[in-house]
Amino acid sequence: MEFALPVRTPLEQPRFLPMTREEMEALGWNELDVLLVSGDAYVDHPSFGIPLLGRYLVAHGYRTGIIAQPAWNGQQAVAALRVMGRPRLLAGLGAGALDSMLAHYTAFLKRRHDDAYTPGGKTGARPNRAVIVYANLLRQAFPGLPLAAGGIEASLRRAVHYDFWSDSLRRPLLFDAPLDAIIYGMGEHALLEIVRRLDALLEIVGDGGYTPDVAAGFGVWEGIRGTARLEKKAERREGAVYLPSYDEILADPAALLKASVVMERECHNARHALVQDCGGREVVMEPPSALLTTEEMDALYALPFTRQSHPSYKEPIPAEGMIATSITSHRGCGGGCSFCTLALHQGRCIASRSEASILDEARRLAGMKGFSGSISDIGGP
Ligand code: SF4
């Protein structure tokens, strides 16, 4: 079904996105439209995906809050996700800037002693395989709420993959995490499309009218570029490219290489959906999202990020210092190095900001309290 997608009036950008009910109410928000859950602490900087997407949604009229590094075991785990109530449209989640296993273990499988994305650099603030854990907790906290995951962990585990940490081939993450969709790659367009579709759907069926069957009837999750979803096995999907199945890769691991080459090619060409069979169900990966235009990039990076950690933190977050004076000039890389997965996430085409936008940010940085006189880097995120 075609949706008449709502275009909402941009909301005023708060100094920080809310993390508590008191902060929501101070903004005059009685509920959230979208809740974003992150495996990293909340640093309000455009290098961090969840704050970037949160401000992007606010700029498109959606009240968005963040829960960062929620308790994930014990009695409080579900309650920790309910502090701002049930969001009206969607919960989104991400493991953080790194895959949670890489954040926690060295290449020699030793537990790391520090975590740059956590106050005080302490470890243990996020679970192993965080997307799976957070998705299950969100399902318990908000039964029936639409749920989507993005970020590097979800994105790069969207198809059958080799998991270094367990030395095994794992099925796509959608088999282990109870998600409606994975948003892969850079998520602005896909996330906004999902939120607008859900908004449009509730206009029709009313608040509380969402069920998976209703959503399926309206095709809410279908055809959104930059997303992957789990489907019952269908007759051949017209125009789709079929990857080697899970069983074929188990039987011949070289088929994983073939699948990776096809995924990289289709990520670059952005022409076809990809389908991968796993034991009678299949993952459908729509073609990647369109790149943000220069105007969209400029508008995004002009949002009023404080470039600071949320004031509730008592200890410094090491990553905050690393990127304090970093400027993102572009996304994507044409390099194609064989050891690098950037092409499977951001793609090989470059999306750039304008020179004027980058210079504006440099001037804003230079005017900030404590600016030391140098900008640490200008490059990709
Ligand atoms: S980002 Fe990846 S593909 Fe690009 S130059 Fe660096 S290592 Fe190579």
Side-chain angles (χ1 to χ4, degrees):
M1 169 174 278
E2 286 291 311
F3 283 94
L5 295 181
V7 177
R8 296 200 171 266
T9 306
L11 297 172
E12 189 179 334
Q13 291 280 340
R15 179 158 165 74
F16 286 92
L17 297 174
M19 293 180 76
T20 64
R21 183 162 282 282
E22 293 69 38
E23 289 169 11
M24 267 173 65
E25 288 170 356
L27 297 171
W29 300 354
N30 61 351
E31 66 176 350
L32 296 177
D33 295 309
V34 179
L35 170 67
L36 297 177
V37 175
S38 173
D40 290 341
Y42 174 18
V43 179
D44 192 54
H45 189 288
S47 294
F48 289 80
I50 291 278
L52 183 83
L53 291 168
R55 286 204 179 274
Y56 180 74
L57 289 175
V58 171
H60 288 84
Y62 293 100
R63 299 163 296 178
T64 305
I66 292 180
I67 293 181
Q69 300 187 316
W72 49 274
N73 54 9
Q75 299 287 329
Q76 311 128 347
V78 170
L81 296 171
R82 290 180 175 149
V83 291
M84 288 184 279
R86 182 185 177 98
R88 193 174 69 90
L89 299 173
L90 175 78
L93 63 122
L98 298 181
D99 185 288
S100 55
M101 298 302 286
L102 180 61
H104 297 166
Y105 297 95
T106 70
F108 295 103
L109 303 180
K110 302 281 187 221
R111 187 91 196 172
R112 294 187 193 276
H113 299 300
D114 53 12
D115 185 328
Y117 299 92
T118 300
K122 295 176 184 145
T123 56
R126 94 175 73 62
N128 285 349
R129 305 196 189 279
V131 171
I132 298 173
V133 176
Y134 291 155
N136 279 291
L137 289 171
L138 281 162
R139 278 277 175 250
Q140 289 177 55
F142 307 116
L145 182 72
L147 198 54
I152 206 79
E153 180 166 312
S155 183
L156 293 181
R157 294 175 183 270
R158 63 189 183 270
V160 175
H161 54 282
Y162 174 71
D163 181 72
F164 176 78
W165 318 102
S166 59
D167 190 23
S168 64
L169 289 163
R170 285 183 73 108
R171 297 183 303 174
L173 186 61
L174 287 158
F175 281 85
D176 296 320
L179 298 162
D180 293 294
I182 282 175
I183 296 173
Y184 73 87
M186 307 308 272
E188 291 88 358
H189 283 162
L191 178 61
L192 184 60
E193 173 86 12
I194 289 171
V195 168
R196 282 178 164 164
R197 284 187 181 199
L198 291 168
D199 196 7
L201 181 69
L202 293 198
E203 290 283 319
I204 299 167
V205 302
D207 281 358
Y210 179 94
T211 68
D213 287 344
V214 167
F218 281 87
V220 167
W221 299 100
E222 292 172 18
I224 303 175
R225 296 181 76 101
T227 66
R229 66 188 188 280
L230 201 53
E231 294 271 4
K232 288 185 191 138
K233 193 166 167 57
E235 293 300 312
R236 201 154 182 89
R237 294 174 193 270
E238 202 170 327
V241 171
Y242 281 72
L243 298 175
S245 70
Y246 181 52
D247 287 342
E248 286 168 342
I249 293 173
L250 281 180
D252 175 15
L256 183 66
L257 302 181
K258 183 178 170 203
S260 300
V261 169
V262 174
M263 282 180 72
E264 281 210 20
R265 187 190 69 211
E266 292 300 331
C267 221
H268 182 53
N269 294 334
R271 284 198 297 250
H272 304 101
L274 297 174
V275 179
Q276 189 167 46
D277 177 281
C278 298
R281 298 176 78 193
E282 52 195 20
V283 173
V284 178
M285 292 164 263
E286 300 290 350
S289 291
L291 298 182
L292 264 58
T293 63
T294 295
E295 291 71 28
E296 288 174 311
M297 292 271 284
D298 288 356
L300 184 60
Y301 287 92
L303 293 174
F305 297 94
T306 61
R307 307 178 83 94
Q308 297 168 5
S309 54
H310 188 271
S312 62
Y313 297 122
K314 305 282 180 271
E315 295 179 277
I317 297 162
E320 180 186 349
M322 292 177 211
I323 45 81
T325 60
S326 157
I327 295 179
T328 299
S329 58
H330 69 280
R331 296 167 169 187
C333 177
C337 302
S338 59
F339 55 84
C340 179
T341 53
L342 188 132
L344 275 176
H345 186 68
Q346 293 188 15
R348 293 177 68 175
C349 296
I350 308 295
S352 291
R353 293 169 62 186
S354 68
E355 184 179 324
S357 161
I358 294 167
L359 287 171
D360 274 353
E361 186 170 344
R363 285 190 200 96
R364 284 200 303 277
L365 263 176
M368 289 177 88
K369 196 174 162 199
F371 180 66
S372 68
S374 65
I375 288 171
S376 61
D377 69 285
I378 301 176

